[in-house]
Each structure stands twice: as structure tokens, then as C-alpha cells.
Amino acid sequence: MLEFIGSSWIGQLVAIVIGFAALIYGADWLVDGASGIAKRFGVSNFVIGLTVVAFGTSMPEFIVSFLAAMEGNTEIAITNILGSNSINTLVILGCTALIYPIASQRSCRQFDIPMSMIAGVLVILLVWNGSIPRWGGALLLFFFIWFLIRNIRSASNIPDEIDNNATPILTIRKAVALVLIGLAGLVLGGELVVRGATAMAHQLGVSDAIIGLTIVALGTSLPELATSCIAAAKKNCDLALGNIIGSNIFNVFFILGVSATIHPLPAYNGLILDAILVVVGAALVWLFVVATKKHEIKRWHGAILLAVYAIYLAYRIMTLG
């Protein structure tokens, strides 16, 4: 299906352009469809973003990590998740906040963001003795099931704290169709961009380590980036924040849990630092939304998040070199 990428830089460039187009349109349709479902059932946009949208935009990470674990390539299974979570929190939330300040709901400040911090801490504790064992994967899945049940039970009781009058109310059939088409566009777009950019990087002589740290991690996070930026542009910021926090929780508790259950995941050089960055990113987001009067991530907060990731990335590239 993707043979046209080949070794030609023209094919690679075409793949990247088509991929970004699929991501942008897919994100737009997904946001509209998810918001339509939320309004039809009286469910908070935040909860929809935290569950349905978050799971959908985590599909690239799930596919990469699941196949890697099945093939015994355990390092990719972990680096994909930790790298994506860091990009989600520091880069995507940073970029989204620069577009429009991101407001938070009380449940997010009291439960969901702390859960994303706990996820990073659990990874550190589980790999302390050298690997995430199968029982560790089962423990992560237990936390995921608890998180999911809690949010489903509270979904109908959490009103939107932000008025989103700009979002039209759609029929259920049309809203579901938009969500499905949007998810398909996001997965296909992310695949095209990653493959095209990786092939181009190889031709330019960029090392596999740097490609994995940058292109693969960013590529599997492109759906979250596109979805959150589109949501912010529509001033649907509770969906944007719910999408990121939900994706991070899904990534660790569900995807890493499934991967470790399939095959124990041994630690790699630099894993503790990567996991610490995940915790630091979540802690910064929590601090920003708790310390401000409007409980939001402001534009200058977004700049701080981006700066933290830039420093981390520079250090990792230098150490890999």
C-alpha cells in the first residue's frame, strides 16, 4: 500500500505531505464528531476526550508497541511510549497553549493529571530491578481498568465547565461517522509521515538512534498534536487537555501493560531519565493549572514546556552522539 514511498525523495516528500493533510482533516473531523457525541448524550467534552478520543489517537503507539513486543523488540515498545508521553505533555500541550490558553476541569486537576504522574512513577519503580515483568504489566492493566471504570461512572455527572456554543449539534450517525473517518485519517496520516520522514532521514545519513528518539516518537504523537491544536483553534480546550492526559494514561497503563504482559520489558540505557521526564512534565502541567486563578495553562506556560523538552532533547542527542 505504501510502496510508492520507495527510495525516491519525491515519493517520500509526497508521503509526508499527504500524511500531514490526512492528520489535519482527520483531527478536524474527530474533534467535531466527538464534540457532537458529547452534546447528544449530555457527556462532558473532557470525558469524551479522556476516553474515546484519547484511545483513538493512541492507536499508533499501540500498534508500534504491540508489534514490537510480539517480535521481542522490547526496547522499541518502551521508548515509543515514554517518548510519546514526553512529547504529548511538553511539546503538544506547549504548542496548544501557545494557540489558546488551555483551561482545566476540577476532575482533571484532582485525579487525571495526578494519575499521569503516578504512571511515570510506576514505570520507574517497576524497572528498578532491571525490567518490567509480566506481573508488572498486569498491575498496569489493573490501574487502567480502574481508571476507565471511574470515568465511565462519572461521565454523566460531569458537566462542561466551558461553554462551547461554537460546536454544532450533530446527529448521532453523522457524529459517529466523523469519529471513525477521523481516526482512520489520523492513523494513516501518522503512518505516512513516519515512513516518509524515516526514509528521508536514512538517505541523509541520520542515525537510527536519533530517528527513534525524534521521528518515531513524534510521528506516533502526530494524531494527538493535530487533534489538540485543532481543538484549541476551535476553543474546545477541555477536549484538547482531556485528549493529551487520557492518551498518556492509555499509553502507560494499557499499551505498556499489554506489551509487558506479552513479553517482559527489560530496561535500556537512559530509561530512568526518560521516565523522570514524563513525571516532570505531568507535574509541571498540574502546577500550572493549580497555581493560576483560572486554572489554565497559559501561553507562557506553554513556552516553558517547550523549553524543557528542547533542553532534554539536546542532551539526549549529544549523549547518543
PDB file of all heavy atoms in Angstrom, residues 63-85:
ATOM      1  N   ILE A  63      -0.125   0.149  18.138  1.00  0.00           N
ATOM      2  CA  ILE A  63       0.299  -0.730  17.049  1.00  0.00           C
ATOM      3  C   ILE A  63       1.809  -0.951  17.097  1.00  0.00           C
ATOM      4  O   ILE A  63       2.295  -2.083  17.009  1.00  0.00           O
ATOM      5  CB  ILE A  63      -0.118  -0.132  15.692  1.00  0.00           C
ATOM      6  CG1 ILE A  63      -1.645  -0.141  15.568  1.00  0.00           C
ATOM      7  CG2 ILE A  63       0.509  -0.920  14.542  1.00  0.00           C
ATOM      8  CD1 ILE A  63      -2.170   0.640  14.387  1.00  0.00           C
ATOM      9  N   VAL A  64       2.575   0.143  17.259  1.00  0.00           N
ATOM     10  CA  VAL A  64       4.038   0.037  17.282  1.00  0.00           C
ATOM     11  C   VAL A  64       4.505  -0.808  18.462  1.00  0.00           C
ATOM     12  O   VAL A  64       5.318  -1.734  18.313  1.00  0.00           O
ATOM     13  CB  VAL A  64       4.687   1.440  17.335  1.00  0.00           C
ATOM     14  CG1 VAL A  64       6.193   1.330  17.592  1.00  0.00           C
ATOM     15  CG2 VAL A  64       4.442   2.185  16.027  1.00  0.00           C
ATOM     16  N   SER A  65       4.004  -0.511  19.670  1.00  0.00           N
ATOM     17  CA  SER A  65       4.461  -1.215  20.865  1.00  0.00           C
ATOM     18  C   SER A  65       3.990  -2.668  20.882  1.00  0.00           C
ATOM     19  O   SER A  65       4.735  -3.567  21.293  1.00  0.00           O
ATOM     20  CB  SER A  65       3.976  -0.502  22.131  1.00  0.00           C
ATOM     21  OG  SER A  65       4.592   0.757  22.247  1.00  0.00           O
ATOM     22  N   PHE A  66       2.770  -2.927  20.448  1.00  0.00           N
ATOM     23  CA  PHE A  66       2.241  -4.288  20.435  1.00  0.00           C
ATOM     24  C   PHE A  66       3.047  -5.173  19.487  1.00  0.00           C
ATOM     25  O   PHE A  66       3.478  -6.279  19.858  1.00  0.00           O
ATOM     26  CB  PHE A  66       0.768  -4.276  20.011  1.00  0.00           C
ATOM     27  CG  PHE A  66       0.140  -5.638  19.936  1.00  0.00           C
ATOM     28  CD1 PHE A  66      -0.274  -6.301  21.087  1.00  0.00           C
ATOM     29  CD2 PHE A  66      -0.034  -6.269  18.708  1.00  0.00           C
ATOM     30  CE1 PHE A  66      -0.849  -7.559  21.019  1.00  0.00           C
ATOM     31  CE2 PHE A  66      -0.604  -7.524  18.631  1.00  0.00           C
ATOM     32  CZ  PHE A  66      -1.013  -8.170  19.784  1.00  0.00           C
ATOM     33  N   LEU A  67       3.280  -4.701  18.281  1.00  0.00           N
ATOM     34  CA  LEU A  67       4.052  -5.485  17.318  1.00  0.00           C
ATOM     35  C   LEU A  67       5.500  -5.657  17.775  1.00  0.00           C
ATOM     36  O   LEU A  67       6.098  -6.719  17.590  1.00  0.00           O
ATOM     37  CB  LEU A  67       4.007  -4.819  15.942  1.00  0.00           C
ATOM     38  CG  LEU A  67       2.634  -4.801  15.255  1.00  0.00           C
ATOM     39  CD1 LEU A  67       2.721  -4.075  13.923  1.00  0.00           C
ATOM     40  CD2 LEU A  67       2.106  -6.220  15.057  1.00  0.00           C
ATOM     41  N   ALA A  68       6.059  -4.605  18.386  1.00  0.00           N
ATOM     42  CA  ALA A  68       7.434  -4.694  18.883  1.00  0.00           C
ATOM     43  C   ALA A  68       7.547  -5.759  19.970  1.00  0.00           C
ATOM     44  O   ALA A  68       8.502  -6.547  19.995  1.00  0.00           O
ATOM     45  CB  ALA A  68       7.895  -3.342  19.416  1.00  0.00           C
ATOM     46  N   ALA A  69       6.570  -5.787  20.872  1.00  0.00           N
ATOM     47  CA  ALA A  69       6.585  -6.792  21.943  1.00  0.00           C
ATOM     48  C   ALA A  69       6.397  -8.193  21.373  1.00  0.00           C
ATOM     49  O   ALA A  69       7.051  -9.149  21.821  1.00  0.00           O
ATOM     50  CB  ALA A  69       5.495  -6.477  22.969  1.00  0.00           C
ATOM     51  N   MET A  70       5.516  -8.340  20.398  1.00  0.00           N
ATOM     52  CA  MET A  70       5.289  -9.642  19.778  1.00  0.00           C
ATOM     53  C   MET A  70       6.561 -10.172  19.115  1.00  0.00           C
ATOM     54  O   MET A  70       6.829 -11.367  19.118  1.00  0.00           O
ATOM     55  CB  MET A  70       4.170  -9.537  18.737  1.00  0.00           C
ATOM     56  CG  MET A  70       2.783  -9.347  19.341  1.00  0.00           C
ATOM     57  SD  MET A  70       2.173 -10.793  20.227  1.00  0.00           S
ATOM     58  CE  MET A  70       1.914 -11.928  18.860  1.00  0.00           C
ATOM     59  N   GLU A  71       7.346  -9.252  18.536  1.00  0.00           N
ATOM     60  CA  GLU A  71       8.574  -9.633  17.841  1.00  0.00           C
ATOM     61  C   GLU A  71       9.778  -9.681  18.778  1.00  0.00           C
ATOM     62  O   GLU A  71      10.894  -9.963  18.343  1.00  0.00           O
ATOM     63  CB  GLU A  71       8.846  -8.652  16.697  1.00  0.00           C
ATOM     64  CG  GLU A  71       7.772  -8.685  15.603  1.00  0.00           C
ATOM     65  CD  GLU A  71       7.934  -7.555  14.599  1.00  0.00           C
ATOM     66  OE1 GLU A  71       8.915  -6.790  14.750  1.00  0.00           O
ATOM     67  OE2 GLU A  71       7.109  -7.459  13.688  1.00  0.00           O
ATOM     68  N   GLY A  72       9.568  -9.375  20.072  1.00  0.00           N
ATOM     69  CA  GLY A  72      10.659  -9.406  21.032  1.00  0.00           C
ATOM     70  C   GLY A  72      11.527  -8.159  21.024  1.00  0.00           C
ATOM     71  O   GLY A  72      12.557  -8.111  21.704  1.00  0.00           O
ATOM     72  N   ASN A  73      11.126  -7.130  20.270  1.00  0.00           N
ATOM     73  CA  ASN A  73      11.891  -5.882  20.217  1.00  0.00           C
ATOM     74  C   ASN A  73      11.399  -4.986  21.352  1.00  0.00           C
ATOM     75  O   ASN A  73      10.710  -3.990  21.144  1.00  0.00           O
ATOM     76  CB  ASN A  73      11.698  -5.201  18.860  1.00  0.00           C
ATOM     77  CG  ASN A  73      12.765  -4.163  18.582  1.00  0.00           C
ATOM     78  OD1 ASN A  73      13.397  -3.655  19.512  1.00  0.00           O
ATOM     79  ND2 ASN A  73      12.970  -3.842  17.324  1.00  0.00           N
ATOM     80  N   THR A  74      11.781  -5.359  22.569  1.00  0.00           N
ATOM     81  CA  THR A  74      11.199  -4.727  23.752  1.00  0.00           C
ATOM     82  C   THR A  74      11.635  -3.280  23.947  1.00  0.00           C
ATOM     83  O   THR A  74      10.915  -2.485  24.557  1.00  0.00           O
ATOM     84  CB  THR A  74      11.571  -5.542  25.006  1.00  0.00           C
ATOM     85  OG1 THR A  74      12.998  -5.693  25.056  1.00  0.00           O
ATOM     86  CG2 THR A  74      10.928  -6.912  24.966  1.00  0.00           C
ATOM     87  N   GLU A  75      12.821  -2.912  23.457  1.00  0.00           N
ATOM     88  CA  GLU A  75      13.286  -1.538  23.652  1.00  0.00           C
ATOM     89  C   GLU A  75      12.379  -0.545  22.942  1.00  0.00           C
ATOM     90  O   GLU A  75      12.026   0.499  23.485  1.00  0.00           O
ATOM     91  CB  GLU A  75      14.718  -1.388  23.149  1.00  0.00           C
ATOM     92  CG  GLU A  75      15.291   0.012  23.388  1.00  0.00           C
ATOM     93  CD  GLU A  75      16.783   0.084  23.098  1.00  0.00           C
ATOM     94  OE1 GLU A  75      17.460  -0.949  23.228  1.00  0.00           O
ATOM     95  OE2 GLU A  75      17.246   1.170  22.740  1.00  0.00           O
ATOM     96  N   ILE A  76      11.960  -0.894  21.716  1.00  0.00           N
ATOM     97  CA  ILE A  76      11.055  -0.014  20.975  1.00  0.00           C
ATOM     98  C   ILE A  76       9.723   0.101  21.707  1.00  0.00           C
ATOM     99  O   ILE A  76       9.110   1.179  21.745  1.00  0.00           O
ATOM    100  CB  ILE A  76      10.847  -0.541  19.548  1.00  0.00           C
ATOM    101  CG1 ILE A  76      12.124  -0.352  18.731  1.00  0.00           C
ATOM    102  CG2 ILE A  76       9.682   0.176  18.864  1.00  0.00           C
ATOM    103  CD1 ILE A  76      12.019  -0.844  17.305  1.00  0.00           C
ATOM    104  N   ALA A  77       9.266  -1.000  22.304  1.00  0.00           N
ATOM    105  CA  ALA A  77       7.982  -0.988  22.998  1.00  0.00           C
ATOM    106  C   ALA A  77       7.961   0.041  24.119  1.00  0.00           C
ATOM    107  O   ALA A  77       6.937   0.691  24.367  1.00  0.00           O
ATOM    108  CB  ALA A  77       7.674  -2.380  23.550  1.00  0.00           C
ATOM    109  N   ILE A  78       9.104   0.200  24.829  1.00  0.00           N
ATOM    110  CA  ILE A  78       9.149   1.161  25.939  1.00  0.00           C
ATOM    111  C   ILE A  78       9.467   2.572  25.441  1.00  0.00           C
ATOM    112  O   ILE A  78       8.816   3.533  25.828  1.00  0.00           O
ATOM    113  CB  ILE A  78      10.193   0.748  27.000  1.00  0.00           C
ATOM    114  CG1 ILE A  78       9.922  -0.665  27.508  1.00  0.00           C
ATOM    115  CG2 ILE A  78      10.164   1.713  28.184  1.00  0.00           C
ATOM    116  CD1 ILE A  78      10.893  -1.136  28.558  1.00  0.00           C
ATOM    117  N   THR A  79      10.492   2.699  24.593  1.00  0.00           N
ATOM    118  CA  THR A  79      10.898   4.037  24.145  1.00  0.00           C
ATOM    119  C   THR A  79       9.768   4.735  23.398  1.00  0.00           C
ATOM    120  O   THR A  79       9.610   5.948  23.500  1.00  0.00           O
ATOM    121  CB  THR A  79      12.136   3.954  23.234  1.00  0.00           C
ATOM    122  OG1 THR A  79      11.864   3.059  22.137  1.00  0.00           O
ATOM    123  CG2 THR A  79      13.339   3.454  23.985  1.00  0.00           C
ATOM    124  N   ASN A  80       8.985   3.967  22.661  1.00  0.00           N
ATOM    125  CA  ASN A  80       7.860   4.539  21.936  1.00  0.00           C
ATOM    126  C   ASN A  80       6.869   5.195  22.888  1.00  0.00           C
ATOM    127  O   ASN A  80       6.397   6.317  22.657  1.00  0.00           O
ATOM    128  CB  ASN A  80       7.168   3.440  21.115  1.00  0.00           C
ATOM    129  CG  ASN A  80       5.892   3.909  20.467  1.00  0.00           C
ATOM    130  OD1 ASN A  80       5.850   4.958  19.849  1.00  0.00           O
ATOM    131  ND2 ASN A  80       4.846   3.129  20.610  1.00  0.00           N
ATOM    132  N   ILE A  81       6.575   4.505  24.014  1.00  0.00           N
ATOM    133  CA  ILE A  81       5.591   5.018  24.971  1.00  0.00           C
ATOM    134  C   ILE A  81       6.128   6.219  25.740  1.00  0.00           C
ATOM    135  O   ILE A  81       5.475   7.269  25.830  1.00  0.00           O
ATOM    136  CB  ILE A  81       5.173   3.905  25.954  1.00  0.00           C
ATOM    137  CG1 ILE A  81       4.424   2.789  25.207  1.00  0.00           C
ATOM    138  CG2 ILE A  81       4.309   4.477  27.079  1.00  0.00           C
ATOM    139  CD1 ILE A  81       3.216   3.264  24.455  1.00  0.00           C
ATOM    140  N   LEU A  82       7.332   6.081  26.319  1.00  0.00           N
ATOM    141  CA  LEU A  82       7.880   7.179  27.123  1.00  0.00           C
ATOM    142  C   LEU A  82       8.161   8.406  26.255  1.00  0.00           C
ATOM    143  O   LEU A  82       7.905   9.540  26.664  1.00  0.00           O
ATOM    144  CB  LEU A  82       9.155   6.724  27.832  1.00  0.00           C
ATOM    145  CG  LEU A  82       8.987   5.605  28.869  1.00  0.00           C
ATOM    146  CD1 LEU A  82      10.328   5.285  29.530  1.00  0.00           C
ATOM    147  CD2 LEU A  82       7.957   5.992  29.922  1.00  0.00           C
ATOM    148  N   GLY A  83       8.707   8.175  25.056  1.00  0.00           N
ATOM    149  CA  GLY A  83       8.970   9.298  24.158  1.00  0.00           C
ATOM    150  C   GLY A  83       7.698  10.004  23.743  1.00  0.00           C
ATOM    151  O   GLY A  83       7.626  11.239  23.727  1.00  0.00           O
ATOM    152  N   SER A  84       6.657   9.234  23.437  1.00  0.00           N
ATOM    153  CA  SER A  84       5.379   9.825  23.041  1.00  0.00           C
ATOM    154  C   SER A  84       4.744  10.606  24.183  1.00  0.00           C
ATOM    155  O   SER A  84       4.189  11.696  23.973  1.00  0.00           O
ATOM    156  CB  SER A  84       4.422   8.732  22.552  1.00  0.00           C
ATOM    157  OG  SER A  84       4.894   8.138  21.373  1.00  0.00           O
ATOM    158  N   ASN A  85       4.821  10.065  25.412  1.00  0.00           N
ATOM    159  CA  ASN A  85       4.234  10.769  26.553  1.00  0.00           C
ATOM    160  C   ASN A  85       4.936  12.096  26.820  1.00  0.00           C
ATOM    161  O   ASN A  85       4.295  13.100  27.148  1.00  0.00           O
ATOM    162  CB  ASN A  85       4.282   9.892  27.802  1.00  0.00           C
ATOM    163  CG  ASN A  85       3.105   8.933  27.873  1.00  0.00           C
ATOM    164  OD1 ASN A  85       2.480   8.636  26.859  1.00  0.00           O
ATOM    165  ND2 ASN A  85       2.803   8.438  29.051  1.00  0.00           N
TER     166      ASN A  85
END
